Amino acid sequence: VTALVADDQCLLTEGLRMVLERGGIRVVGVARTGKEAVQMVLDLKPDVALLDIRMPDLDGFEALSAIKRARPRTSVLMLTSYASLENLAQALARGAAGFLTKEVDPKHIPDLVRAAASRELVVDRRLMQTAMSHLNNLEDSEGSRAPPLEGHLTEQETRILRLVAEGLSNAEIAGALGLSPSTVKNHVHSILVKLHVSDRTQAAVWAFRHGVADLRKEG
């Protein structure tokens, strides 16, 4: 797994580099500005980019949007001191796979980066529900709610997407639906392709925004 770290604080980036490399993640580059981060993602093609929200030139959200437009296969984790509801909602809406707060236990960071690289669900489901409710309320007030479900998923894919949004792994979905894990994996791949999203987090976001997953359901 390869990663790019983008933050204008040298001490933080070097600390992250050390933690990631000790955990078996190859750090292919370090960026100091938002524009530099976008260009380095295009040049180096990392599996995961870790972006600080506050950076010169482009902030983390602008860099996130640019990266997901230019190279959607690179998963993006946002770095922040405090994951506010507004920041989380905006990051998910722009295509982030999840958040890393700067208070997270360093020993967990390599596993979270590997999860993002594997397109797994990185954000806690209840936190995602709260963020999506906040985003939907904002869109309602602005008159820009996500378009209705187009119906291009099969019934089986819709069932699987609903379980993805509930945070279930492929093995758990297979057990719930009486399918093989490889069949579920193929369905999940088809879902990501049809929805034009790059990972399970964004598939879950799509499900919440289009009413496939119930925001009111308890996790």
Side-chain angles (χ1 to χ4, degrees), residues 193-206:
V193 170
K194 287 184 177 182
L195 300 185
H196 304 289
V197 298
S198 58
D199 53 51
R200 294 168 84 99
T201 299
Q202 287 304 304
V205 168
W206 191 97

Side-chain angles (χ1 to χ4, degrees), residues 82-133:
Y82 173 68
S84 70
L85 188 57
E86 291 76 11
N87 283 347
L88 178 59
Q90 184 172 174
L92 292 175
R94 289 175 181 245
F99 261 91
L100 285 181
T101 64
K102 295 176 182 178
E103 289 75 33
V104 67
D105 189 331
K107 69 182 180 182
H108 297 314
I109 293 177
D111 286 340
L112 291 170
V113 171
R114 270 188 284 271
S118 299
R119 314 269 186 255
E120 295 175 16
L121 195 65
V122 179
V123 181
D124 176 80
R125 183 178 186 271
R126 289 191 179 184
L127 187 58
M128 182 183 291
Q129 283 178 304
T130 304
M132 288 301 95
S133 292

Side-chain angles (χ1 to χ4, degrees), residues 147-165 184 186-197 199-200 202-213:
L149 179 63
E150 296 177 3
H152 56 306
L153 297 179
T154 66
E155 290 184 10
Q156 185 74 293
E157 287 169 345
T158 300
R159 282 192 287 270
I160 290 172
L161 176 58
R162 191 174 294 118
L163 295 176
V164 167
V184 173
N186 290 337
H187 279 304
V188 170
H189 175 73
S190 176
I191 290 166
L192 299 184
V193 170
K194 287 184 177 182
L195 300 185
H196 304 289
V197 298
D199 53 51
R200 294 168 84 99
Q202 287 304 304
V205 168
W206 191 97
F208 285 128
R209 297 185 73 186
H210 291 82
V212 172

